[in-house]
Amino acid sequence: MITTRSYSCVSFCRRLLRKKLINTHHYKTPITYKFYTGKQHFSDFTKSKISTQCLIKEITEVSRDHLTPEISLQLITPNCPLWHSGEDQCPFPDPFWAFYWPGGQALTRFILDNGELFRGKTVVDVGCGCGASSIACRMVVAAHVIANDIDTVAAEAVELNTELNNVTQTTVTTSNLVGCHDNRWDILLFGDMFYDTNFANVITEWVVSLYTNGVTIFIGDPGRLPFEQHPLKSDLKMVAEYALPENCLKENNGLSCGFVWKYEPGNT
């Protein structure tokens, strides 16, 4: 049973949401918090022999309530007890993969709406999280997709989500691909990767180098401050804008749209 009461700590999932909201100039509205008062403690699951994927299923639900309802995803939603729980009840550290972030939603919507750009291509989805953009690429018949996230649990979540959507020919890897090059790559995707200024600076040189070697780069972002103020922004061309669905608005206070940008120096 989910109830509302005064409590000494903010729910764990709300803390995660704030991590990606706090650096945006749109973050102005106070968040109202709810808390779970039931007896279930998810840390108990880690003491058993339940596999990681079974545990992911245990703490999430299958959802199509997002900007890309064509895709089913295992997500932590307000219907899940963990949404309202404290940090000590989460069996995984920082499960960013369990949320469908607004930049990723916009980028995935763009892929589904513009399949001709991805058809027959080899696509690398860096920081893929739940794997939605990777799944969309295969749905529009990309030749091969590399879903990349250094979080090993995210990789398990991506495997679950690809199976859920009957997607094949997707390589899931936890290797750190930042700075790497492969002449077989055609397109690189960054969804919600500019929420951290330091990381944004790290990938800038890589983006320039990839572009020089013929790779097309698409970026999904809802307008967070590190992205808006980053020098790379001057070399980006906005190719799509999407109004975020109501539940995403509630989860990401102050963010109303998701944008997709293409790296095109000198063509903004």
Side-chain angles (χ1 to χ4, degrees):
M1 177 180 178
I2 296 173
T3 60
T4 304
R5 70 183 177 104
S6 176
Y7 201 68
S8 61
C9 66
V10 174
S11 71
F12 178 57
C13 292
R14 289 295 188 179
R15 286 181 184 275
L16 288 182
L17 290 171
R18 290 193 70 175
K19 282 185 180 181
K20 286 196 176 183
L21 283 172
I22 201 67
N23 287 326
T24 173
H25 61 287
H26 296 297
Y27 184 64
K28 299 175 182 178
T29 308
I31 296 176
T32 300
Y33 300 102
K34 290 185 178 181
F35 302 93
Y36 180 62
T37 58
K39 299 295 184 180
Q40 188 172 19
H41 292 279
F42 291 99
S43 58
D44 292 343
F45 288 123
T46 61
K47 299 174 184 178
S48 71
K49 294 184 179 180
I50 298 176
S51 70
T52 299
Q53 291 193 0
C54 287
L55 185 52
I56 290 171
K57 290 181 180 179
E58 192 73 41
I59 68 171
T60 63
E61 70 168 354
V62 176
S63 175
R64 289 178 178 263
D65 188 14
H66 42 69
L67 199 57
T68 55
E70 302 95 320
I71 300 176
S72 297
L73 297 168
Q74 298 276 172
L75 301 173
I76 295 174
T77 74
N79 296 327
C80 302
L82 186 57
W83 180 275
H84 311 273
S85 301
E87 186 170 357
D88 63 335
Q89 292 179 289
C90 184
F92 303 117
D94 291 346
F96 290 112
W97 48 266
F99 299 88
Y100 196 7
W101 303 97
Q105 290 197 37
L107 184 57
T108 306
R109 182 72 266 162
F110 176 77
I111 294 165
L112 293 172
D113 291 345
N114 299 274
E116 70 281 358
L117 299 178
F118 301 87
R119 191 169 301 121
K121 305 294 186 180
T122 295
V123 184
V124 184
D125 184 7
V126 179
C128 63
C130 66
S133 293
S134 297
I135 291 167
C137 286
R138 281 300 301 144
M139 284 182 166
V140 299
V141 202
H144 187 68
V145 179
I146 300 171
N148 173 234
D149 200 299
I150 61 173
D151 187 333
T152 56
V153 182
E156 297 288 347
V158 173
E159 293 279 7
L160 274 178
N161 288 327
T162 55
E163 292 173 9
L164 191 60
N165 292 277
N166 298 312
V167 166
T168 59
Q169 291 182 277
T170 300
T171 299
V172 182
T173 176
T174 57
S175 299
N176 186 353
L177 295 184
V178 175
C180 295
H181 291 267
D182 191 316
N183 58 17
R184 293 169 294 183
W185 296 352
D186 299 306
I187 298 173
L188 203 81
L189 306 176
F190 290 109
D192 291 287
M193 296 297 285
F194 282 78
Y195 69 94
D196 179 87
T197 302
N198 291 333
F199 182 75
N201 291 336
V202 167
I203 64 175
T204 298
E205 184 176 344
W206 187 38
V207 166
V208 174
S209 180
L210 287 166
Y211 177 81
T212 302
N213 284 278
V215 178
T216 300
I217 296 101
F218 289 109
I219 297 169
D221 192 272
R224 296 187 183 89
L225 192 59
F227 177 75
E228 293 296 323
Q229 294 185 342
H230 199 277
L232 189 70
K233 181 77 179 298
S234 63
D235 288 325
L236 300 180
K237 175 183 178 182
M238 190 176 75
V239 293
E241 176 181 353
Y242 300 97
L244 297 174
E246 184 177 352
N247 65 322
C248 193
L249 293 176
K250 292 178 180 178
E251 295 168 10
N252 298 273
N253 290 44
L255 302 177
S256 59
C257 293
F259 305 91
V260 180
W261 303 83
K262 183 179 180 183
Y263 182 70
E264 285 191 5
N267 292 300
T268 55

